[in-house]
């Protein structure tokens, strides 16, 4: 019988080989005329330059932490951190490098029709999806093969989480500073279309789509995948948790193998039907992957002679994923009440647009939280806390297809920009606009998925932290609200997502301010620019947002590490437990609210563009709402996922130090 970790390594290479095959297919497609290639190359060069500078900055912090871990803990912990960090960066880099090449090819293929353009965009997105799940499973299975003790994997999870946080915050600041700056001057002040080649910030805006969504989301879900597998495997080694289950440590890895095969098969079902419903075509792949996963999960459960309750816990995870996707689409798609209501409110100005958007965003937290709560209760009743971890792992079975849906968004967004800047036929722009409108919803659905899976993963991580503390102290640990230390920790933890979000929003605001000044300067000083007779200085805006993103991503990352360290040392382990609970609860609500609100504002603007059109008073009001929503949905909101998991993995890694040297307040 082949060893489970070795089988997982083989399956991970299958995913990477499939990503390579898809990449080869995309690259064979004609990238378009010289003008299209020139624009695409400018986007690619800007994205690659930013990523190179970002990774150089991150490498300094990663090296320092590696040396600290090497000094304090066993070598495998430090090596795991390094491996997790490197593969996290690589997963984002691979996804972005193909997306900046698929954009012009999608625009060129749009000349043939909607079906052909959809195929190219989804294949480009699938490269990211398969690369992420392949690298994530490879990291966990390879490390477990050489160090068959889940306790040694915590460094791997910490490395993945930390790099994800940097990528999410840095990429989010970059993309939204450029987008907000371009919109404020281009759309509102100058009254020119989105992606107009006269706008000096348009190349930076298109670069941002890739470094924010492709690279950022790739690193985010790579980290979620690694951390969720880690949490389930950590719980599997605890006798009181895994009693009654066979191969409790290896079982999550087996589910990971099934998930990759299911995701690969799911991609073949993304086909446009006669109705030309793009969203339904994409959902076919998601549904197919879910069905294949369910069949595979049953086979694994039967093979390992585990109780049927464990399989049912996995099904709970699939159901939670489906429900969160449906709820997120309802609150962010142009088809339904929330977005229509925001669009209607725009008729009376920006103020009512903002009020209604905030109201819909606040409302959008209700159903996902109820679904997550129901999922936790159902999984726990079936298989205890281990069942909750398995439900979270089951949610990851759709990761490959979900990331493909997310990366599809920036590819189609860029394709529309290239079509506009290259002056392609209006029919081409209509096709790319149709693809892009769906892309906004797929990106929102992906963020909802990431937030939901993060909630279950964080709960499993917190359980692993509790058991780690019990093992270190030799006495059962409890986190009762009657203990002042726990209560203080809870308040601080609930506060942190607000401070973290403030840092991210402030960074976007100040960076966008610089872009606005630069774009205004170029409109004023470059003669013939507005008449289309002169070329803007695109590089100036790219340089501004690059420097701003790198400068401002550091403090939020420091906060994520410093907070649990200081609370654990100064207030004790029980306060740290309260901190982790607080950041999970508050972070989940904030992430849902910000991501859904921003996406709803964005699609309300697009709905108005289809109706009363660009330039109307309602459209100007909607642009304001979209501008506020940009850092909500693409910077602060999704980065909260990484914040939650960085703090939890940090607490597990440094638990021995905090127990030994922390001051117990109560």
């Amino acid at each position: 019988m082949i060893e489970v970790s070795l089988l997982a390594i083989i399956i991970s290479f299958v995913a990477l080989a499939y990503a390579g095959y898809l990449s080869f297919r995309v690259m064979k497609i004609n990238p378009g005329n010289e003008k299209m290639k020139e624009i695409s190359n400018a986007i690619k060069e800007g994205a690659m330059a930013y990523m190179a500078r970002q990774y150089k900055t991150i490498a300094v912090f990663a090296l320092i932490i590696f040396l600290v871990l090497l000094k304090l803990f066993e070598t495998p912990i430090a090596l795991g951190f390094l491996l997790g960090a490197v593969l996290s960066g690589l997963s984002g880099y691979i996804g972005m490098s193909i997306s900046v090449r698929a954009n012009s090819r999608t625009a060129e293929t749009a000349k043939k029709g909607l079906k052909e353009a959809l195929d190219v965009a989804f294949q480009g997105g699938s490269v990211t999806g398969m690369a992420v799940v392949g690298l994530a499973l490879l990291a966990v299975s390879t490390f477990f093969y050489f160090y068959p003790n889940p306790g040694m994997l915590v460094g791997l999870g910490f490395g993945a989480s930390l790099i994800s946080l940097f990528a999410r915050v840095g990429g989010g600041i970059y993309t939204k500073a450029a987008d907000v700056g371009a919109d404020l001057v281009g759309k509102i002040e100058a009254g020119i279309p989105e992606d107009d080649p006269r706008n000096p910030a348009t190349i930076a805006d298109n670069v941002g789509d890739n470094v924010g969504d492709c690279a950022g989301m790739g690193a985010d879900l790579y980290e979620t995948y690694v951390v969720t597998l880690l949490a389930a495997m950590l719980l599997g080694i605890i006798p009181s948790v895994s009693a009654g289950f066979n191969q409790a440590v290896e079982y999550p890895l087996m589910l990971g193998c099934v998930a990759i095969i299911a995701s690969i098969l799911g991609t073949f079902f993304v086909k446009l039907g006669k109705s030309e419903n793009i969203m339904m075509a994409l959902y076919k792949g998601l549904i197919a992957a879910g069905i294949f996963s369910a069949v595979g999960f049953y086979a694994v459960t039967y093979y390992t002679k585990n109780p049927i309750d464990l399989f049912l816990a996995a099904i709970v995870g699939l159901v939670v994923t489906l429900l969160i996707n449906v709820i997120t689409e309802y609150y962010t798609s142009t088809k339904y009440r929330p977005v229509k209501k925001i669009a209607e409110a725009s008729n009376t100005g920006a103020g009512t647009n903002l009020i209604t958007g905030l109201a819909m965003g606040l409302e959008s937290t209700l159903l996902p939280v109820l679904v997550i709560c129901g999922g936790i209760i159902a999984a726990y009743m079936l298989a205890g806390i281990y069942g909750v971890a398995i439900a979270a792992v089951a949610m990851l079975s759709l990761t490959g297809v979900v990331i493909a849906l997310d990366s599809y968004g920036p590819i189609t967004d860029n394709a529309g920009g290239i079509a506009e800047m290259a002056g392609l036929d209006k029919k081409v722009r209509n096709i790319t606009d149709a693809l892009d409108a769906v892309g906004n919803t797929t990106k929102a659905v992906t963020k909802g998925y990431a937030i939901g899976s993060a909630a279950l993963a964080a709960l499993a991580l917190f359980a692993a932290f509790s058991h780690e503390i019990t093992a270190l102290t030799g006495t059962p640990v409890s986190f009762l609200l009657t203990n002042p230390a726990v209560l203080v920790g809870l308040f601080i933890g609930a506060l942190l997502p607000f401070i973290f979000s403030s840092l991210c929003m402030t960074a976007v605001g100040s960076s966008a301010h610089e872009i606005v000044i630069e774009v205004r300067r170029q409109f004023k000083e470059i003669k013939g620019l507005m008449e289309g007779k002169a070329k803007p200085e695109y590089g100036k805006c790219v340089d501004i947002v690059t420097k701003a993103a790198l400068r401002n991503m550091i403090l939020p990352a420091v906060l994520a590490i410093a907070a649990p360290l200081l609370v654990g040392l100064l207030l004790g382990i029980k306060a740290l437990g309260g901190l982790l609970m607080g950041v999970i609860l508050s972070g989940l609500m904030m992430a849902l609210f910000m991501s859904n609100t921003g996406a709803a504002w964005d699609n309300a603007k697009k709905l108005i563009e289809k109706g009363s059109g660009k330039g109307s008073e309602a459209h100007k009001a909607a642009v304001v709402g979209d501008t506020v929503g940009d850092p909500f949905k693409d910077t602060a909101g999704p980065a909260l996922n990484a914040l939650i998991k960085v703090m939890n993995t940090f607490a597990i890694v440094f638990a021995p130090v905090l127990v030994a040297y922390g001051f117990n307040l109560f």
Side-chain angles (χ1 to χ4, degrees):
M1 184 181 71
I2 189 169
E3 194 172 334
V4 172
S5 55
L6 188 58
L7 175 64
I9 292 171
I10 294 169
I11 296 296
S12 64
F13 277 113
V14 170
L16 294 173
Y18 185 57
Y21 164 72
L22 290 175
S23 181
F24 175 73
R25 286 193 61 180
V26 170
M27 292 303 293
K28 283 181 66 178
I29 297 167
N30 180 11
N33 59 39
E34 289 304 315
K35 181 65 174 175
M36 293 168 69
K37 286 190 278 189
E38 179 189 341
I39 297 165
S40 180
N41 284 333
I43 295 170
K44 181 180 71 176
E45 288 169 11
M48 293 302 183
Y50 170 74
M51 291 296 284
R53 290 172 68 174
Q54 176 179 260
Y55 285 147
K56 284 178 184 176
T57 305
I58 295 173
V60 175
F61 288 89
L63 182 60
I64 293 170
I65 293 172
F66 169 73
L67 294 174
V68 170
L69 293 175
L70 202 59
K71 180 73 173 175
L72 294 176
F73 305 107
E74 297 176 69
T75 302
I77 300 288
L79 291 177
F81 170 82
L82 205 57
L83 179 65
V86 169
L87 291 186
S88 177
L90 184 60
S91 65
Y93 185 85
I94 290 173
M96 191 202 65
S97 62
I98 190 64
S99 73
V100 295
R101 291 170 170 84
N103 50 21
S104 64
R105 289 166 168 83
T106 300
E108 176 66 18
T109 312
K111 295 175 182 178
K112 298 178 182 178
L114 183 63
K115 178 182 179 299
E116 291 80 1
L118 173 63
D119 287 344
V120 176
F122 184 73
Q123 284 178 27
S126 296
V127 174
T128 308
M130 293 304 119
V132 167
V133 294
L135 288 171
L137 187 62
L138 179 65
V140 176
S141 55
T142 301
F143 209 78
F144 187 65
Y145 180 78
F146 289 104
Y147 300 101
N149 174 9
M152 294 291 102
L153 289 169
V154 292
L156 187 76
F158 180 44
S161 299
L162 188 64
I163 302 309
S164 166
L165 183 63
F166 275 113
R168 256 304 179 197
V169 173
I173 293 169
Y174 187 113
T175 182
K176 291 305 109 179
D179 195 358
V180 170
D183 284 355
L184 286 176
V185 185
K187 289 182 184 177
I188 295 179
E189 294 183 10
I192 58 177
E194 187 172 5
D195 299 316
D196 192 296
R198 293 171 291 178
N199 193 326
T202 191
I203 292 293
D205 184 12
N206 281 283
V207 170
D209 291 329
N210 295 288
V211 300
D213 272 310
C214 286
M217 180 57 83
D220 186 357
L221 284 175
Y222 163 87
E223 170 250 353
T224 298
Y225 204 106
V226 169
V227 166
T228 305
L229 281 178
L230 164 65
M233 293 171 75
L234 282 173
L235 293 177
I237 62 174
I238 301 167
S240 60
V241 171
S242 59
F245 304 121
N246 300 317
Q247 294 180 261
V249 174
E250 292 85 2
Y251 186 79
L253 277 179
M254 295 182 192
L255 298 188
C257 293
V258 167
I260 283 183
I261 300 301
S263 289
I264 291 173
L265 294 174
T267 61
F268 290 100
F269 286 80
V270 177
K271 300 290 181 186
L272 199 63
K274 292 181 181 179
S275 65
E276 294 196 338
N277 187 325
I278 300 169
M279 199 70 201
M280 183 51 65
L282 296 171
Y283 271 160
K284 285 178 187 174
L286 202 60
I287 293 167
I291 293 171
F292 286 124
S293 294
V295 173
F297 292 166
Y298 180 80
V300 167
T301 307
Y302 180 81
Y303 173 75
T304 55
K305 296 183 173 62
N306 269 303
I308 195 70
D309 284 352
L310 204 55
F311 164 70
L312 294 176
I315 295 301
V316 167
L318 292 178
V319 172
V320 168
T321 301
L322 175 64
L323 291 176
I324 286 179
N325 284 354
V326 170
I327 293 165
T328 306
E329 184 184 356
Y330 172 75
Y331 276 99
T332 58
S333 173
T334 55
K335 298 177 184 177
Y336 304 111
R337 175 187 68 93
V339 170
K340 288 181 178 179
K341 200 166 182 179
I342 296 169
E344 184 183 343
S346 303
N347 290 316
T348 50
T352 46
N353 169 284
L354 294 174
I355 292 168
T356 308
L358 290 170
M360 291 298 101
L362 291 166
E363 180 189 306
S364 74
T365 61
L366 173 64
L367 292 178
V369 170
L370 291 179
V371 166
I372 291 168
C373 290
I376 290 170
I377 291 170
Y380 189 86
M381 289 178 70
L382 287 164
I385 193 66
Y386 183 68
V388 176
I390 292 303
V393 172
M395 289 186 74
L396 296 176
S397 64
L398 304 176
T399 298
V401 179
V402 168
I403 296 176
L405 299 183
D406 181 76
S407 298
Y408 155 96
I411 290 172
T412 56
D413 195 338
N414 274 197
I418 290 170
E420 178 82 37
M421 287 184 276
L424 299 186
D425 190 275
K426 190 176 180 182
K427 290 181 180 178
V428 174
R429 184 70 213 230
N430 288 340
I431 288 174
T432 58
D433 279 350
L435 294 170
D436 183 29
V438 172
N440 273 333
T441 302
T442 62
K443 287 189 285 186
V445 166
T446 305
K447 291 180 179 75
Y449 165 84
I451 294 163
S453 59
L456 292 184
L459 181 62
L461 283 171
F462 182 77
F465 167 75
S466 300
H467 286 285
E468 172 78 359
I469 299 302
T470 298
L472 289 168
T473 59
T475 56
V477 63
S478 60
F479 300 99
L480 301 176
L481 291 181
T482 51
N483 187 314
V486 175
L487 197 58
V488 168
L490 191 66
F491 275 116
I492 296 173
L495 168 71
L496 288 176
F498 290 86
I499 302 302
F500 180 85
S501 299
S502 171
L503 292 172
C504 293
M505 297 284 286
T506 300
V508 171
S510 60
S511 306
H513 176 75
E514 293 181 54
I515 291 292
V516 167
I517 292 173
E518 175 59 26
V519 173
R520 283 174 178 166
R521 181 194 69 79
Q522 291 194 34
F523 278 153
K524 183 179 179 181
E525 296 180 6
I526 300 177
K527 293 181 180 179
L529 179 58
M530 289 303 293
E531 292 77 27
K533 296 177 182 178
K535 188 177 179 180
E537 297 172 354
Y538 297 121
K540 292 284 182 70
C541 291
V542 170
D543 189 54
I544 287 171
V545 288
T546 298
K547 290 178 179 176
L550 296 176
R551 182 175 67 248
N552 289 298
M553 73 179 183
I554 295 170
L555 188 54
V558 170
L559 176 69
I561 295 174
L565 180 64
L566 291 175
V567 167
L569 289 175
L570 300 178
L571 302 178
I573 287 297
K574 293 200 173 184
L576 178 57
L579 177 95
L580 298 179
M581 288 189 286
V583 79
I584 291 170
L585 296 175
S586 173
L588 170 65
M589 307 302 171
M590 284 282 287
L592 285 170
F593 162 64
M594 299 182 92
S595 296
N596 290 340
T597 305
W601 268 324
D602 193 349
N603 273 341
K605 177 198 69 177
K606 282 183 163 46
L607 184 61
I608 290 169
E609 288 173 350
K610 288 181 182 177
S612 56
K614 298 176 181 179
S616 66
E617 290 305 312
H619 182 248
K620 290 178 181 178
V623 170
V624 174
D626 179 36
T627 301
V628 176
D630 274 339
F632 265 47
K633 68 181 174 68
D634 289 325
T635 309
L640 287 168
N641 290 335
L643 173 74
I644 293 168
K645 285 171 285 185
V646 164
M647 293 178 69
N648 276 273
T649 52
F650 178 88
I652 294 173
V653 170
F654 282 85
V657 174
L658 299 174
V659 167
Y661 300 104
F663 174 74
N664 288 310
L665 185 62
F666 295 102

